[in-house]
Amino acid sequence: MDISRHLAAFSPFEALAAELLPHVMDDAGDGSHDISHLVRVWNNVRRLQAQEGGDLRLLLAAVLLHDCVRVEKNSPLRSQASTLSGRQAAGILQALGWSAEQAAEVAHAVEAHSFSAAIAPRSPEAKILQDADRLDAIGAIGVARCFYTAGRMGSSLYDAADPQAGGRALDDRRYALDHFPAKLFRLSEGFQTATGAAMARAREETMRRFVSEMLGEL
């Protein structure tokens, strides 16, 4: 992929993006974790940082490297993905001349961004990255990513006999619609910043309207 087409999206750190993007370009065909995902998370970061503070250079490095080790959603190693990415991110940055301290800051933000890892973010940058990445999992984009990922994993849209799981346990590995009550509707409760929490509430309402409309059509 020609990374030069995408550098302007990471303004004002195009030079840093040019250094890091070759380490993270997706070769697995995952459209939910591709360059567009990185751009959206960066846009979220910029909105959050404007209100919450934080070092934008460290944040961009964390954004670009937060999924640098690819682990599929249905892999038994999924909960380790952010830890593996954090370690790799630190190595990449130190090889580029970053100090051990700065590399460790980025690595912590990367490690703490994941829902499944359940690592508490300690720094402003880690809190912002976690919020920015979770914002991309909800709202209209979250709906699109949910069904896209379900298709990649071979899941059904919903359980035709019991779409709302009234008489069975939720199973979002088998049914895409189950992923909303199982996880996506819960994400807005755990945001780290006030700005992120407000954005999350609005995006949750978008998802709830979609699910209500879908159930109505069923």
Side-chain angles (χ1 to χ4, degrees):
M1 182 181 292
D2 180 10
I3 65 171
S4 64
R5 298 176 53 243
H6 304 285
L7 296 180
F10 301 104
S11 174
F13 300 104
E14 293 92 340
L16 177 58
E19 287 185 313
L20 296 182
L21 280 174
H23 295 277
V24 299
M25 298 310 291
D26 181 30
D27 59 0
D30 184 356
S32 66
H33 290 93
D34 57 5
I35 187 70
S36 64
H37 169 63
L38 297 178
V39 172
R40 292 192 304 271
V41 174
W42 175 239
N43 289 339
N44 290 338
V45 161
R46 293 291 299 271
R47 293 179 67 180
L48 295 172
Q49 189 272 344
Q51 301 298 320
E52 307 288 341
D55 185 314
L56 270 179
R57 181 170 176 266
L58 293 180
L59 279 163
L60 179 59
V63 167
L64 294 179
L65 297 174
H66 77 279
D67 288 324
C68 64
V69 175
R70 305 286 182 177
V71 180
E72 289 283 8
K73 291 283 188 184
N74 59 356
S75 168
L77 297 177
R78 182 61 188 172
S79 64
Q80 301 176 41
S82 66
T83 299
L84 296 171
S85 290
R87 291 173 187 165
Q88 183 151 308
I92 291 169
L93 294 174
Q94 289 188 267
L96 291 172
W98 286 50
S99 69
E101 292 77 13
Q102 287 184 317
E105 286 291 325
V106 173
H108 168 64
V110 170
E111 290 168 354
H113 90 273
S114 169
F115 181 86
S116 56
I119 296 172
R122 299 187 303 268
S123 66
E125 291 79 15
K127 293 175 181 179
I128 287 172
L129 178 65
Q130 186 182 105
D131 281 6
D133 188 62
R134 291 186 184 186
L135 283 168
D136 201 53
I138 58 178
I141 288 290
V143 171
R145 290 180 72 198
C146 175
F147 286 99
Y148 172 88
T149 300
R152 287 189 81 237
M153 299 295 104
S155 302
S156 300
L157 293 180
Y158 57 90
D159 179 359
D162 189 1
Q164 294 182 266
R168 60 175 176 83
L170 291 169
D171 186 356
D172 57 354
R173 289 182 177 270
R174 293 185 63 192
Y175 307 115
L177 192 60
D178 283 17
H179 195 54
F180 292 90
K183 179 179 177 182
L184 298 183
F185 288 160
R186 297 162 47 206
L187 285 180
S188 64
E189 301 169 0
F191 273 67
Q192 302 292 323
T193 69
T195 307
M199 294 171 65
R201 288 191 291 272
R203 295 192 186 196
E204 181 182 336
E205 285 304 310
T206 297
M207 291 191 299
R208 290 187 180 278
R209 286 195 299 272
F210 169 82
V211 170
S212 177
E213 291 286 345
M214 183 174 177
L215 291 171
E217 292 182 11
L218 299 183

